[in-house]
Amino acid sequence: MRKPKAGLPSRQQILDFIATSDIPAGKREIARAFGLTAQEKIGLKALLKDMADEGLIDSAPGRAFHKMGGLPKVTVLRIVDVDDGGNIWAMPDRWEADVPAPRLRVRERRRGDLGVGMRLLARTEEVGSGWVAHPMKVLAPAAEQIIGVLRGEGDRLWLQGVEKKERREFPVSDAGGAQAGDLVLAERTGRPPRITARVVERLGDPFAPRSFSLIAIHKHDIPNVFDEATLQEAQRVAGQPLGEGREDLTHLPIVAIDPADARDHDDAIWAAPDDDPLNEGGYRALIAIADVSFYVRPGGAIDREARLRGNSVYFPDRVVPMLPEVLSADVCSLKEGQDRAALVCHLQVSKAGTLKSWRFSRAVVRIAQNIAYEDAQAAIDADSPLPLQSGRDDASSPAAGDGDDRQILAALKDLWACWSLLAAARDKREPLALDLPERQVALDEKGRLLSVAPRERLDSHRLVEDYMIAANVAAAKALEAKKAPVMYRVHEPPARAKLVALKEYLDTFDVPFALGQVVKPATFNRIIERIGDADFRPQVMEQILRSQTQAYYAPANHGHFGLSLGSYGHFTSPIRRYADLLVHRSLSSAYGLGPGGLNGDEDFERLGETISKLERRAMEAERETIDRYVAAFLAERVGELVDARITGIQNFGFFATVEGVGGDGLMPISDLGNEYFRYDETGQRLVGETSGEEYTLGMRLKLRLADANPVSGALRFELEEGKGGRPQRRDGTKPNAPRVLKRRGRPGNIRHKGGKR
């Protein structure tokens, strides 16, 4: 180690100066403060390097120094929380120290200027045992950062972003040790026209298993690492006893029916015929939900992190949980054969399927079995307990004999019998009935892609959904009865502008839709029934879905249009949704169910806005990741003809989806031939000026897969016969063939006008 020359300040003097300086302390400021000569400045440089190597100081952007583990005087922060008292909290945008990153209270200049996720340049100040941030400048959002793949060209590197819409490449000014072919996180630097990219973090191989979800995590800035304080609190609360005074329900054969690959188990159900003579023909039902509010108390480290995340995010290869795994995947998860704390909704279901009464209790439950949807369905279909053996994890589940299996089958039969009543009431209520396929990505044990296919829709799925809906309704009504705060799940009726657009679309199929009527979910169901099994049924359902408003969370009740319900909260998934945790806390407070209730300072309006935004972020990240897996699955079929359906028309071309797999790709208008194509926005079609050739929304045709980019999730198509090829119309005829108009009236006999009005 070098020794400082005479005249140089000591290490402690430098640390004291950095700590007390009103301005960022770089080498120049330190030299000026101690009156160093030119020769002594050379020694200062070596001394500062020694101090950095020893872990005494660290450098910040702009070459200013700060105490290692501390904060620079001026640094970039990210807003991470706005608490119920209106206090704004931030954390360093980048933190590489071994100690946990500090939280800073931001002194906002004007209320409402700053929100969660915003980045700002701020002056930091240590006050007492905490930190305060004084905003200097709001910075560009994290969207200014780019996730992309480095491409080599000679001795230069270029960054190609993973966004489908990003067509530019940026020269790399600082690769940060990354090489060509690496997936990296970078940020734009410079000014137009000289914009370059500086690599912030190397993410690895873009085509490696688990990279596709990693791209989404970084792109959407999804927190995926718990800090030490949160993990320590989770370990502590996980070891606490279940609490006194819980109702003992361990004798009931309650079952949890979930996906075969479920990472956590929020809910379990039980039903039996009701012995109450006033409810003849009805059933009693229990919906047992993980008692997360008992473990996650308001204001704690876990609660702050859960609020920051808003919900768990589910990818094919991983889950980014809202709660630490010791809670989400273990102590709070309703696992077979283990005593668990639950908040239980007790329902009395009439023979008409309506809810006669409800109550909520804290209980101890012991799940009789964790069953996959497919196994539950197979057991009911075969009237046999044997299929249940395939879903049992012998390594973790207690052994069960034939008697136990028969008990499980009997429990399932009771669940199905009670569900038949709930389903009849649902059908009478006529919620929106859109049966759109969900894509399922299958991976092997190493995370490698095996297949992409539509997920099978079973009665067992519908059964669990209807029990959950019943519990959610009961929770909302129970809180309303106490005039307690409710975090409603709100779905408002469609806006008129969207209904006008839907009418114009339906006109192209000669399907009537009157704008003057009172629109209910049943209105859309009649449209679907009228279409019957016509080829264009899926795209009509997609358009009906697009006409709907987006659901959100709010403390004001505006009903749930899609479910045709007047009061609806979310109660059944507190492991993965913060909204449900709030409902649990409100129930605990309103009905005196013990600890873990509201603290009285919650701003439900602000919280509803925040978790609604975080939910949309999660949905977008999950959808984009599926698109990347689909593109990876189709990459091996580049050059082949695929069955496709047009899902979008624009003035620059059309978008098409590969049938049975999904994934949207572009067919550029420049590749449709030499003639000019006119864009008919109202009719949603492209029309050739000379040939009259049409490409219309919903048209099925053969397309050649020209490119599939797993990193961006983008597909690109070419016509089957090269430029100017002749696809089929939606009715299966060639463009120049005479068109047959079918007789109107009965379902399936809809007159098809191919986009003409």
Side-chain angles (χ1 to χ4, degrees), residues 483-495:
K483 294 182 171 53
V486 186
M487 185 60 79
Y488 290 101
R489 180 62 168 178
V490 179
H491 183 224
E492 298 187 60

Side-chain angles (χ1 to χ4, degrees), residues 463-613:
L463 173 140
V464 173
E465 286 176 4
D466 281 337
Y467 277 106
M468 297 306 112
I469 289 171
N472 287 336
V473 169
K477 290 186 176 296
L479 290 174
E480 289 171 352
K482 290 284 189 177
K483 294 182 171 53
V486 186
M487 185 60 79
Y488 290 101
R489 180 62 168 178
V490 179
H491 183 224
E492 298 187 60
R496 178 173 174 79
K498 289 192 174 184
L499 293 177
V500 170
L502 178 64
K503 172 178 171 53
E504 292 174 346
Y505 175 78
L506 293 174
D507 281 347
T508 67
F509 295 96
D510 202 23
V511 177
F513 179 63
L515 290 175
Q517 62 184 312
V518 176
V519 175
K520 300 178 180 179
T523 307
F524 300 111
N525 295 342
R526 299 292 88 78
I527 293 172
I528 297 170
E529 291 172 6
R530 180 175 174 81
I531 291 171
D533 295 327
D535 288 343
F536 51 89
R537 178 187 176 98
Q539 55 262 34
V540 169
M541 286 197 291
E542 286 176 3
Q543 289 299 314
I544 291 175
L545 179 63
R546 291 174 184 175
S547 73
Q548 305 302 303
T549 59
Q550 192 166 36
Y552 61 93
Y553 294 104
N557 186 17
H558 298 290
H560 197 294
F561 176 82
L563 293 175
S564 195
L565 291 169
S567 296
Y568 192 66
H570 268 173
F571 161 78
T572 54
S573 295
I575 285 178
R576 61 187 179 91
R577 293 189 305 228
Y578 196 79
D580 302 54
L581 178 55
L582 290 171
V583 169
H584 277 228
R585 288 174 177 169
S586 191
L587 285 166
S588 295
S589 296
Y591 286 89
L593 301 180
L598 298 173
N599 62 13
D601 295 329
E602 290 86 355
D603 184 343
F604 270 50
E605 186 75 36
R606 187 193 289 263
L607 283 171
E609 293 174 0
T610 299
I611 59 180
S612 296
K613 291 177 183 176

Side-chain angles (χ1 to χ4, degrees), residues 131 179 196 226 564 602 658:
W131 289 86
Q179 300 176 353
T196 63
F226 290 102
S564 195
E602 290 86 355
V658 179

